[in-house]
Amino acid sequence: MRLNPVRSIILGFVVFVLVFLFFIILGREKTTILLFLSFFLGGFIAMYFVREKKSQYLFYEGILIFIFSIIMYPTIMPRLSVFGFIYLFLFILIFTGIGGFIGNKIAEKIVEKKIWSFNPVISISLGLIVSYIVFVLLFNLTMLGNLDSVFHQIWIVEEVCSLVIGGFIATYFAKEKKIQFGIYLGITWVILIGLIPSLIFFDFPTSLLELITVILRYIVYIIAPITGSYLAILIVKHQKLST
């Protein structure tokens, strides 16, 4: 997947914000590594997905991240001096630069040798793991600790979003791009996350309406990764046409 500079920079910034917020939620003292990882991934994503590899894109990425840091200033940097801002800017440029350099090198290797193409079992497992990580991240960001009706609906939306991403990963990194990989991922998710916990904790539907609701939810959980698989197939076809 190759993007124009604006999209790749924005994508890198979005990934940075997600990891950075995760760092804030989990506690800054215990998860400092996530702070460094957020800057690194911002630069990595920006350079990995961009069509033309130019160093100034990393500078623009660094500017975006620096502006975000200034906005978050009262929360994360209450005692930062003027020199501290300069050091922060250099710090951001260094780590986004390292991430961008590595992202650029990996992208070149993938284009040359076509690495990171797996058999279906591995790619589906990878998609399942990514789905679960994204869901846990979204769950923690929204702090959905109880199952109030509104919160429960948001929880379902988070699962759907994570499954779309998982379906995309499962198909995009498979050697053969097939829509059924999304179906397999969805069925696996329904069994592992839906049916097995219900059997263990005896959380069965108590009415016909509840049963229909659960079945419809499971159907949505299968449709979501299929959508991700379809998007992956479209992007791969677009890449082939562009090359």
Side-chain angles (χ1 to χ4, degrees):
M1 181 168 62
R2 292 291 174 261
L3 306 174
N4 65 48
V6 175
R7 290 181 180 177
S8 65
I9 290 170
I10 291 175
L11 180 61
F13 178 71
V14 169
V15 171
F16 156 75
V17 171
L18 289 175
V19 178
F20 185 85
L21 291 177
F22 207 28
F23 156 74
I24 296 294
I25 289 170
L26 292 179
R28 299 189 290 274
E29 295 80 8
K30 298 180 181 179
T31 56
T32 308
I33 186 64
L34 287 178
L35 176 64
F36 294 92
L37 185 63
S38 64
F39 297 133
F40 175 87
L41 287 177
F44 179 92
I45 295 295
M47 287 300 289
Y48 177 81
F49 288 106
V50 74
R51 286 175 189 157
E52 299 176 87
K53 313 298 182 184
K54 294 183 179 179
S55 58
Q56 60 259 42
Y57 299 153
L58 286 174
F59 180 77
Y60 303 147
E61 183 74 25
I63 291 291
L64 270 181
I65 294 174
F66 183 67
I67 292 173
F68 177 85
S69 301
I70 293 176
I71 294 173
M72 295 292 290
Y73 169 75
T75 304
I76 61 173
M77 299 172 292
R79 297 180 181 178
L80 203 62
S81 64
V82 174
F83 286 107
F85 273 104
I86 297 174
Y87 295 145
L88 173 65
F89 184 62
L90 294 175
F91 176 84
I92 289 172
L93 287 183
I94 288 171
F95 276 90
T96 52
I98 293 172
F101 176 77
I102 295 175
N104 183 25
K105 292 300 179 182
I106 291 177
E108 289 177 354
K109 291 292 183 183
I110 289 176
V111 170
E112 290 173 4
K113 299 182 179 180
K114 296 182 179 179
I115 61 175
W116 289 12
S117 290
F118 309 118
N119 67 53
V121 175
I122 295 177
S123 66
I124 292 170
S125 299
L126 179 63
L128 189 65
I129 292 170
V130 170
S131 291
Y132 186 75
I133 291 173
V134 172
F135 172 66
V136 170
L137 174 60
L138 293 175
F139 184 89
N140 282 280
L141 285 175
T142 49
M143 306 296 282
L144 301 181
N146 57 64
L147 292 181
D148 181 82
S149 59
V150 175
F151 285 162
H152 188 63
Q153 300 306 316
I154 298 175
W155 184 9
I156 293 174
V157 171
E158 290 173 343
E159 281 193 88
V160 169
C161 292
S162 63
L163 284 169
V164 170
I165 296 172
F168 178 90
I169 296 292
T171 303
Y172 185 80
F173 288 105
K175 290 179 180 177
E176 296 180 84
K177 318 302 179 188
K178 295 181 179 180
I179 200 78
Q180 55 259 45
F181 297 155
I183 300 175
Y184 300 151
L185 190 147
I187 292 174
T188 305
W189 182 275
V190 167
I191 293 172
L192 294 180
I193 307 300
L195 295 178
I196 291 179
S198 296
L199 292 173
I200 293 174
F201 298 105
F202 300 100
D203 185 20
F204 303 117
T206 56
S207 66
L208 180 60
L209 179 60
E210 230 181 286
L211 177 62
I212 293 173
T213 301
V214 170
I215 293 173
L216 289 176
R217 189 169 76 242
Y218 288 166
I219 291 173
V220 170
Y221 290 166
I222 295 174
I223 293 175
I226 292 175
T227 304
S229 294
Y230 181 69
L231 291 174
I233 292 172
L234 286 180
I235 287 174
V236 170
K237 285 182 179 178
H238 177 73
Q239 283 180 322
K240 289 180 179 178
L241 289 174
S242 62
T243 55

